[in-house]
Amino acid sequence: MNSDNDFQVQIKQKVQRIEGILQEYLPKQKGYQSVIMEAMGYSLLAGGKRLRPLMMQETFRLYNGTAKSLRPFMAAIEMIHTYSLVHDDLPAMDNDEYRRGRRTTHVVYGEDMGILTGDALLNYAFETAFKAFVIEPEDSLAIGRALTVLGDKAGIYGMIGGQVIDVKETGRRVSREVLCTIYRLKTAALIEASMMIGAILGGASEEEVRKVEKIAGYVGVAFQIQDDILDVTSTSETLGKPIHSDERNEKTTYVTLMGIPEAKKEVERLSKEAIGLLHELSGENAFLEKLLLQLIHRDR
Amino acid sequence: MNSDNDFQVQIKQKVQRIEGILQEYLPKQKGYQSVIMEAMGYSLLAGGKRLRPLMMQETFRLYNGTAKSLRPFMAAIEMIHTYSLVHDDLPAMDNDEYRRGRRTTHVVYGEDMGILTGDALLNYAFETAFKAFVIEPEDSLAIGRALTVLGDKAGIYGMIGGQVIDVKETGRRVSREVLCTIYRLKTAALIEASMMIGAILGGASEEEVRKVEKIAGYVGVAFQIQDDILDVTSTSETLGKPIHSDERNEKTTYVTLMGIPEAKKEVERLSKEAIGLLHELSGENAFLEKLLLQLIHRDR
């Protein structure tokens, strides 16, 4: 119990440091366009678990990485995650007015600025990652590999691809195969990017990076199925967002398709696969293992 | 007259080769998300002057550049330009149903897919540029510099910043200073990126790259003022898009602010500045000079 308490304190401290990194990398210079900087800050600093930068950092630690380029990439991955939420919430998409207990970006700044804030965050994510070239020019090749992963996993063969299938299939009953493709792309791809970039900048071999990708894939899909379970079994107070939103949006989820017991079983199976592979890696990081387990089995 | 004819044929041939590059870099691999690849192709291959990749290539030639990395950057800049048009046309923005005589992306594919197609093109632009790391890994540092310019000029201190001010000021009478800031950011920034990236990958010195940035800035603002002039003096048949759209959208333009004669004078002044600086550069490219002059003084 005490060790679990310690673990929660550790997470809290690490997340606070990540908040500092996000603050550091938000645009400072203002101008006539200052409203966009304000909207970017509003969207990015709205709380959240910061699990993507956290996982990137912990995978980096697994390899005893020392590269200073990690920091801009940690900020970049959270900016990409945030832009995807800002665009998801738009009236033409999910039309959500609240997220994490706060009004969504387009509600506060208008629909046009909602679109532009998402665009700005995506573009600024790459601008931020490019700062690595100035920090460690001698590592340009590794930075290039990390950027390639970031671009791929965020794009049409990753997160955006998942979002497209999701939008296309809303209102239809989709097969388990299509659903798992959506989860693999929409949710798991950015988690894969997070851990893979941590590994690449930490100095992992190509082979290890592939293993890390697999682990992250299992964790990402398990994370999403757990999300489906919580949407049915939790309360909006605990989650800080409306529950039963999947039902309202007529979305097929792992739970509507397979039922809660099967969904829980699948989370268990993916969790075991992930931890098994984690033990095969060359480095060790007990915190990372705990973190992955907690993410998969979280109650909010 | 004959030499002008030759020049038009040359442009046509160069643009055809650029179309080939765009085709080459469009995503090939399909999946459940294939509709997004289709929408990206629809948006990107809708014609247009291709002036950004053309200017990138001709600035590169000015320095007798040989880097193979230029090609993905030529495709990337056109993808960024295209995504900005796709998002500009959205109902929550300019709400345009036609562009270049064809239905806009959101009209054909729906508003949600319009948003996602823009996102996909922006992300894919960077993915495409990252291919340069595989083509010429030994040039990773120069590629990093080119990427930094691409990110900056497309973002909140460049194109998106201009778009934000433009959206914010629509319906109000803006000062000449604000208007020129909009033009410098919204239109000139991507032209600056095009020419600067051509110079960087062509091997130009830092100092030369700064000069190229200035030239492109003059050309970009002149190009936009010429756009304002044509919106009033041309026909929709010649332009291939609706005229008097600025008036309809209650937009302040250089023409509404200063009148047509002053606008024409300013185009002349900027044009002279640009050509003067061009002659100061270390390399020579007669085609580029002709091209810049034609862009500034075009009638459509």
Side-chain angles (χ1 to χ4, degrees), chain A residues 84-99:
Chain A
S84 79
L85 301 181
V86 172
H87 278 186
D88 260 25
D89 289 336
L90 285 169
M93 306 281 284
D94 286 354
N95 196 19
D96 278 322
E97 296 187 1
Y98 285 89
R99 179 178 287 276

Side-chain angles (χ1 to χ4, degrees), chain A residues 27 29 32-33 37 87 92 112 119 123 126-127 130 133 140-141 147 151-152 154-157 167-168 177, chain B residues 27 29 32-33 37 87 92 112 119 123 126-127 130 133 140-141 147 151-152 154-157 163 167-168 177:
Chain A
Q29 198 188 323
Y32 294 120
Q33 70 271 49
M37 287 81 167
H87 278 186
D112 47 7
D119 294 350
N123 196 89
F126 287 111
E127 287 178 74
F130 297 158
F133 288 114
S140 292
L141 207 53
L147 285 172
D152 284 357
I156 52 173
Y157 298 116
V167 162
K168 225 183 52 177
E177 194 205 328
Chain B
Q29 200 188 319
Y32 294 121
Q33 69 271 49
M37 287 79 167
H87 277 186
D112 47 7
D119 294 350
N123 196 90
F126 287 111
E127 287 179 74
F130 297 158
F133 287 114
S140 291
L141 207 54
L147 284 173
D152 285 357
I156 52 173
Y157 299 117
Q163 180 64 7
V167 162
K168 224 182 54 177
E177 194 205 328

Side-chain angles (χ1 to χ4, degrees), chain B:
Chain B
M1 201 58 204
N2 197 29
S3 110
D4 184 61
N5 234 343
D6 284 356
F7 178 61
Q8 301 309 330
V9 170
Q10 264 187 297
I11 289 190
K12 213 171 164 180
Q13 286 170 343
K14 283 172 192 280
V15 168
Q16 263 167 6
R17 278 198 293 271
I18 291 170
E19 297 291 335
I21 293 175
L22 296 178
Q23 290 269 11
E24 180 189 332
Y25 280 101
L26 267 173
K28 300 288 181 305
Q29 200 188 319
K30 311 279 178 179
Y32 294 121
Q33 69 271 49
S34 61
V35 64
I36 191 86
M37 287 79 167
E38 195 191 311
M40 288 164 81
Y42 179 84
S43 315
L44 189 66
L45 304 178
K49 292 183 269 294
R50 309 308 189 192
L51 81 91
R52 289 157 195 83
L54 187 58
M55 291 170 83
M56 188 185 287
Q57 188 177 48
E58 293 308 317
T59 310
F60 180 77
R61 285 205 176 128
L62 187 79
Y63 294 100
N64 300 309
T66 56
K68 290 189 183 68
S69 317
L70 189 78
R71 289 165 66 90
F73 276 95
M74 286 170 67
I77 197 92
E78 192 67 12
M79 288 175 190
I80 289 183
H81 172 57
T82 304
Y83 113 78
S84 78
L85 302 181
V86 172
H87 277 186
D88 260 27
D89 288 337
L90 285 169
M93 306 282 283
D94 286 354
N95 196 19
D96 278 321
E97 296 187 3
Y98 285 89
R99 180 177 288 276
R100 293 170 187 157
R102 301 202 324 160
R103 289 189 301 159
T104 48
T105 309
H106 70 92
V107 171
V108 176
Y109 293 93
E111 195 177 340
D112 47 7
M113 286 299 302
I115 295 167
L116 288 169
T117 303
D119 294 350
L121 280 167
L122 172 56
N123 196 90
Y124 206 73
F126 287 111
E127 287 179 74
T128 302
F130 297 158
K131 289 181 180 161
F133 287 114
V134 178
I135 300 174
E136 281 165 330
E138 67 281 10
D139 275 358
S140 291
L141 207 54
I143 295 167
R145 281 171 61 213
L147 284 173
T148 301
V149 168
L150 188 64
D152 285 357
K153 296 294 182 184
I156 52 173
Y157 299 117
M159 187 183 69
I160 295 175
Q163 180 64 7
V164 167
I165 310 174
D166 195 18
V167 162
K168 224 182 54 177
E169 300 293 342
T170 292
R172 294 195 224 173
R173 188 177 170 84
V174 300
S175 69
R176 189 173 173 278
E177 194 205 328
V178 172
L179 190 73
C180 287
T181 306
I182 295 174
Y183 289 5
R184 212 166 31 76
L185 298 181
K186 192 176 167 177
T187 309
L190 266 206
I191 294 183
E192 287 165 9
S194 305
M195 293 186 69
M196 288 169 79
I197 291 169
I200 290 168
L201 296 179
S205 68
E206 275 289 337
E207 199 198 332
E208 289 263 317
V209 174
R210 290 302 140 213
K211 277 189 190 167
V212 164
E213 182 177 21
K214 272 194 175 173
I215 296 168
Y218 293 133
V219 172
V221 173
F223 183 84
Q224 185 56 53
I225 298 178
Q226 187 68 7
D227 216 55
D228 297 345
I229 296 171
L230 293 175
D231 190 63
V232 176
T233 61
S234 189
T235 66
S236 63
E237 288 71 29
T238 308
L239 287 183
K241 64 179 179 183
I243 57 164
H244 300 301
S245 67
D246 297 327
E247 197 186 323
R248 214 172 41 252
N249 294 319
E250 297 175 50
K251 277 198 176 165
T252 304
T253 73
Y254 206 91
V255 169
T256 67
L257 215 55
M258 312 292 289
I260 290 180
E262 270 308 310
K264 285 186 172 169
K265 234 186 257 173
E266 181 65 4
V267 167
E268 224 28 77
R269 189 187 71 79
L270 292 165
S271 164
K272 275 198 186 120
E273 293 274 11
I275 300 303
L277 258 178
L278 187 68
H279 291 158
E280 285 183 25
L281 296 180
S282 61
E284 254 184 81
N285 181 343
F287 178 88
L288 179 61
E289 182 168 342
K290 268 192 175 173
L291 179 68
L292 297 185
L293 285 172
Q294 166 165 306
L295 287 173
I296 291 171
H297 300 292
R298 75 198 188 286
D299 62 1
R300 64 198 174 116

